[in-house]
Amino acid sequence: MNRPVRTRFAPSPTGGLHLGGVRTALYNFLFTRKHGGTFVLRIEDTDQTRFVPGAEEYIIKCLEWCGITPDESTTAGGNYGPYRQSERKHLYAQYAQQLVAAGHAYYAFDTPEELAQMRAANANQQYDHTIRMQMRNSLVLPDTEVATLLAQGVPHVIRIKMTPGETLTFTDLIRGEISFDTSLVDDKVLLKADGMPTYHLAVVVDDYLMQITHAFRGEEWLPSAPVHLLLWEYLGWKEKMPDWAHLPLILKPDGYGKLSKRDGQRLGFPVFAMNWTDPATGETMTGFCERGFLPEAFVNMLAMLGWNDGTTQEIFSLEELVQAFSLERVHKAGAKFDFEKAKWFNQQYIQQASDDVLVLLVRPYIEEHVGEVTDELLWQVVPLIKERCSLLADFWDQGHFFFKDPETIDVDAIREKWNDSTQQFFTAWLEALDQLEVWSAESVERSFNELVAAQGIKKGAVMLPLRIMLVGGKYGPGVFEIAGVVGKEAVVRRLRRNLFSV
RNA sequence: GGCGCGUUGGUCAAUCGGUUAAGACGCCUCCCUUUCACGGAGGAAGGACGGGUUCGAUUCCCGUACGUGCUACCA
């Protein structure tokens, strides 16, 4: 196939953009960038009952955050629009009619009750070649009656007429050759009673009209591949059919099922790229973005979930991914999502990031707690604590004491070390600090050491209490560094308060 | 139930018939550090099972088991 490469990402706007969705989009993006093609975003909003307003804008926002913006979409434009299936309604009906005319599809007038009755007779019964001649459709009804029913506007659908007894084979770019027996495939609905197409008709028509050359989608679509294959054939477009690649699923960390929103809530990690608020319930699901992931790290992590370049390299920039990516190396088996590993990727990127971008990124996570903070303070704090942070949100947990007095103090830890001489020591040190002319990490430390020597006590006995009074617990960077940044006033205040309470 | 797809340590995974079966995350130990992290050194932990093919199978084939997906006028 010599056509220019065109891939499409086709999410349904029914909720947040989850990990599997982003990864599919990412592989589309990497593939098109590598082969100099076009990356199309098409929206599958044919199911009006599940359609959620604002979801399309949300999806585009997520892709932008990830740095994998599509070349063609409702907002980006392009010559193959409209890019929303709901706006292409007329096209699908036209091709469905064409299939009926060619004898590859038929009108079915069965009511929901009749369908239920059919299935009640045999739980495994599908609407297929074994039973279609016993149903109410244009295959069995006289032409005149069909015409009358259609004229009267009786609700009906159009179903594909599967030819039994054939073996369909196609080559999946990831899985190799896959075969199906058409006798086992049912007569899927192509056009619904409301005039909207089902996914089956819509993908084929859209991919054809948008001249898609490579179609990537989740593994869950594999069983319906024969329907799509036949549709390409029946519509007479077989030569233009894209190559297929069915991507492995992203699985929940425990158990083996597909990763779902519920798993995120249950296990305490995000499953969406960015915050998603369900307009119906008002419930907000935290995204990787808001949780403090850097987009580069997020994308890197996702790329490695089901693919690797065969070397031991794990950290890839987007550009490197584009170079190294190949569908042949995508795994066949699903991969369990591991939040710990995801955090590790982000930690790597935080360590690599320069302090000036970190200051920019970290600010909202700090200001969320204490209001406005100065650049100067952030510039001092960021380098001191970045190496102990995996998520942007960690900057608050690891450095809150730089911005406000600790709210809780690990009193028990102090008490273990506490006695009259430590009490004396700190009282004396407070006076010494007051005399200090230059306030810096070094001068504070010097003053501390001098007093330790003068009082003849063990430094270990007073270091920990000092830390805890200053930061609240047994963590954080060097105490004197902290004292230097926080300033004399705050140090004295924190010591006084805690000296008294202990 | 039927059909499809899959199966290397707890997790991500390398190996494209011959290896002491890499590496990473996590876990454990030690070092560094008068806190915690970072960093460094080390450790435990793996080919689902049964048949073939072959001089030789983790690798190729078949079967079984297990898992998972689909089986809607949802995608």
Side-chain angles (χ1 to χ4, degrees):
Chain A
M1 217 178 279
N2 293 322
R3 295 186 289 160
V5 168
R6 287 173 61 83
T7 67
R8 49 55 169 181
F9 174 51
S12 48
T14 53
L17 221 213
H18 58 92
L19 283 174
V22 180
R23 194 189 54 179
T24 303
L26 174 62
Y27 286 0
N28 273 279
F29 177 86
L30 296 176
F31 188 83
T32 50
R33 283 299 173 276
K34 178 161 184 175
H35 296 96
T38 306
F39 172 30
V40 180
L41 173 67
R42 167 163 60 64
I43 296 295
E44 292 174 354
D45 59 346
T46 54
D47 184 358
Q48 295 294 304
T49 59
R50 296 207 316 174
F51 173 76
V52 176
E56 183 178 356
E57 292 77 4
Y58 165 83
I59 288 165
I60 291 171
K61 192 176 77 172
C62 288
L63 295 181
E64 273 170 8
W65 178 67
C66 292
I68 53 176
T69 311
D71 304 308
E72 288 181 20
S73 69
T74 307
T75 55
N79 298 322
Y80 300 86
Y83 293 91
R84 284 182 199 133
Q85 288 182 337
S86 60
E87 295 172 11
R88 327 181 101 238
K89 198 172 162 181
H90 59 288
L91 293 166
Y92 308 117
Q94 172 193 329
Y95 289 111
Q97 305 292 349
Q98 181 186 321
L99 285 167
V100 174
H104 291 305
Y106 57 90
Y107 298 107
F109 301 95
D110 313 278
T111 62
E113 294 72 38
E114 288 168 330
L115 291 173
Q117 197 181 0
M118 171 199 84
R119 291 180 183 120
N122 175 357
N124 297 325
Q125 182 65 55
Q126 299 190 93
Y127 202 121
D128 60 15
H129 70 279
T130 64
I131 204 163
R132 64 182 166 220
M133 298 314 282
Q134 300 164 43
M135 304 300 288
R136 289 208 313 132
N137 54 53
S138 60
L139 259 22
V140 296
L141 266 21
D143 289 353
T144 51
E145 191 179 343
V146 172
T148 310
L149 288 171
L150 290 177
Q152 288 173 344
V154 172
H156 63 276
V157 300
I158 293 181
R159 287 179 180 272
I160 186 173
K161 185 182 171 194
M162 294 296 296
T163 311
E166 287 177 12
T167 299
L168 277 182
T169 301
F170 80 101
T171 304
D172 183 274
L173 262 19
I174 294 170
R175 284 151 215 282
E177 224 168 66
I178 298 172
S179 309
F180 299 91
D181 179 354
T182 58
S183 303
L184 273 4
V185 183
D186 59 333
D187 289 354
K188 288 270 182 261
V189 170
L190 264 21
L191 204 66
K192 299 187 262 188
D194 63 2
M196 286 297 239
T198 57
Y199 172 85
H200 307 295
L201 214 216
V203 251
V204 174
V205 169
D206 287 350
D207 284 352
Y208 170 71
L209 293 177
M210 293 185 178
Q211 303 193 15
I212 300 305
T213 58
H214 299 266
F216 308 154
R217 59 180 6 172
E219 187 187 354
E220 69 268 29
W221 288 108
L222 214 39
S224 50
V227 178
H228 309 323
L229 245 39
L230 241 27
L231 245 21
W232 278 92
E233 191 182 318
Y234 292 164
L235 256 2
W237 302 334
K238 218 178 168 186
E239 311 307 312
K240 298 284 189 67
M241 189 174 78
D243 287 340
W244 296 95
H246 290 88
L247 272 24
L249 265 18
I250 294 180
L251 278 16
K252 56 185 73 187
D254 54 344
Y256 292 91
K258 251 203 297 190
L259 183 68
S260 70
K261 314 172 218 251
R262 286 293 166 81
D263 297 316
Q265 292 188 314
R266 204 183 84 238
L267 301 165
F269 56 77
V271 295
F272 292 148
M274 300 178 89
N275 273 10
W276 168 252
T277 304
D278 188 331
T281 63
E283 188 187 14
T284 296
M285 315 276 280
T286 308
F288 279 88
C289 170
E290 290 79 0
R291 187 66 185 273
F293 277 79
L294 305 184
E296 298 82 0
F298 177 61
V299 160
N300 191 160
M301 176 275 292
L302 264 185
M304 305 307 288
L305 212 52
W307 171 89
N308 70 81
D309 74 340
T311 73
T312 57
Q313 183 176 350
E314 288 192 280
I315 303 297
F316 288 85
S317 67
L318 232 203
E319 296 71 42
E320 288 176 313
L321 283 175
V322 168
Q323 288 308 311
F325 186 73
S326 72
L327 277 178
E328 296 72 50
R329 290 201 64 89
V330 173
H331 267 236
K332 294 183 178 75
K336 289 185 186 181
F337 174 66
D338 181 358
F339 191 51
E340 290 305 318
K341 184 84 185 210
K343 283 197 291 194
W344 175 79
F345 273 102
N346 206 56
Q347 189 247 106
Q348 296 294 307
Y349 276 80
I350 284 181
Q351 303 324 313
Q352 283 177 15
S354 65
D355 289 350
D356 52 341
V357 320
L358 245 23
V359 164
L360 219 61
L361 293 170
V362 159
R363 161 166 266 122
Y365 290 87
I366 302 297
E367 295 190 333
E368 174 191 338
H369 294 95
V370 287
E372 209 170 307
V373 292
T374 62
D375 268 346
E376 191 198 354
L377 182 52
L378 244 25
W379 268 99
Q380 286 180 282
V381 171
V382 163
L384 245 27
I385 58 173
K386 69 188 269 191
E387 68 191 15
R388 57 196 72 220
C389 295
S390 297
L391 301 172
L392 292 176
D394 292 343
F395 278 84
W396 171 256
D397 299 329
Q398 292 297 327
H400 61 90
F401 44 82
F402 284 112
F403 306 98
K404 63 187 282 202
D405 292 357
E407 274 164 18
T408 56
I409 302 290
D410 186 355
V411 182
D412 293 342
I414 300 184
R415 286 210 174 109
E416 283 173 26
K417 302 260 182 184
W418 206 258
N419 56 39
D420 288 348
S421 61
T422 46
Q423 176 82 33
Q424 248 172 43
F425 172 85
F426 281 107
T427 314
W429 195 45
L430 271 170
E431 283 170 31
L433 286 180
D434 207 36
Q435 309 299 313
L436 216 55
E437 282 170 15
V438 182
W439 185 271
S440 70
E442 295 72 30
S443 66
V444 174
E445 180 165 17
R446 201 178 315 119
S447 138
F448 188 86
N449 286 340
E450 282 166 5
L451 192 62
V452 165
Q455 301 224 341
I457 60 171
K458 280 194 287 187
K459 198 177 173 186
V462 281
M463 281 295 278
L464 192 68
L466 171 61
R467 162 173 300 281
I468 289 171
M469 286 190 280
L470 247 34
V471 318
K474 291 192 260 191
Y475 57 89
V479 252
F480 300 113
E481 305 262 61
I482 296 171
V485 172
V486 152
K488 182 197 266 188
E489 197 187 317
V491 170
V492 169
R493 183 174 63 239
R494 291 179 195 183
L495 289 184
R496 284 234 167 86
R497 189 183 86 177
N498 292 303
L499 229 39
F500 190 70
S501 66
V502 176

